[in-house]
């Protein structure tokens, strides 16, 4: 994804992503960089109802990403950690799809705190678990690694 253009595929088989697929890419990119998003879009962010999660109440913050998209962060105010994120997509007809990630196993890599475990859900149904084994901070990356497809 680059700006408002997205592509999907494997190898040379690449097609444009649009509609709900592009919306999902936008939400995934926002979720992956949620602390930066909250910092750089603070003027767009607003408080929302708290979330009861795991016997605790987490403060809620929402950042709209357009007329149909929003990202929510639920924060443990004692630690300042984002414990849950939700990406929300409004479908045609007013139906809403919610992608949720529950974060745990917080550890430092260098001086930065990361969640090494994620549980992912779509509309309340489990979709996958991510377990991080190692984090390298600021590795060298070739510019074309994350660029649009050639041709």
């Amino acid at each position: 994804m680059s700006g408002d253009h997205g592509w999907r595929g494997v190898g040379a088989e690449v097609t444009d992503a649009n509609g709900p697929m592009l919306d999902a890419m936008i939400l995934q990119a926002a979720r992956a960089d949620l602390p930066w998003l909250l910092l750089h879009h603070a003027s767009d962010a607003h408080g929302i109802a708290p979330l009861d999660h795991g016997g605790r109440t987490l403060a809620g913050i929402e950042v709209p990403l357009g007329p149909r998209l929003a990202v929510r962060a639920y924060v443990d105010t004692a630690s300042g950690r984002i414990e849950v994120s939700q990406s929300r997509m409004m479908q045609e007809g007013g139906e809403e799809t919610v992608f949720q990630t529950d974060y745990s196993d917080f550890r430092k890599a260098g001086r930065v705190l990361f969640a090494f475990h994620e549980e992912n859900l779509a509309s309340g149904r489990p979709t996958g678990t991510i377990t991080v084994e190692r984090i390298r901070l600021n590795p060298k990356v070739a510019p074309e690694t994350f660029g649009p497809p050639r041709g």
Side-chain angles (χ1 to χ4, degrees):
M1 190 181 94
S2 178
D4 59 355
H5 293 89
W7 305 269
R8 58 179 282 151
V10 177
E13 298 291 322
V14 177
T15 59
D16 287 337
N18 48 49
M21 183 55 62
L22 180 58
D23 289 345
M25 289 176 159
I26 292 167
L27 291 173
Q28 181 65 14
R31 182 196 74 79
D33 209 3
L34 192 51
W36 180 90
L37 182 81
L38 291 169
L39 178 66
H40 290 282
H41 294 275
S43 62
D44 299 324
H46 59 274
I48 56 173
L51 176 70
D52 291 326
H53 185 74
R56 295 175 299 136
T57 301
L58 304 175
I61 306 165
E62 181 176 83
V63 177
L65 299 176
R68 297 182 327 270
L69 306 176
V71 175
R72 292 180 171 179
Y74 292 95
V75 179
D76 174 18
T77 56
S79 67
R81 294 188 306 223
I82 298 171
E83 302 268 337
V84 175
S85 67
Q86 292 180 347
S87 302
R88 306 173 83 78
M89 181 184 338
M90 293 298 292
Q91 305 288 338
E92 290 184 28
E95 188 176 322
E96 182 178 58
T97 302
V98 178
F99 303 98
Q100 179 168 313
T101 302
D102 299 346
Y103 304 97
S104 61
D105 189 15
F106 292 93
R107 292 185 251 157
K108 284 190 173 184
R111 296 183 351 220
V112 182
L113 189 67
F114 290 92
F116 276 68
H117 188 87
E118 298 181 2
E119 293 291 333
N120 297 289
L121 305 103
S123 297
R125 291 189 172 130
T127 58
T129 299
I130 297 172
T131 302
V132 177
E133 294 178 4
R134 178 175 60 112
I135 292 176
R136 287 184 18 202
L137 298 176
N138 301 319
K140 299 245 185 252
V141 178
E144 64 273 7
T145 300
F146 293 103
R150 294 181 183 167

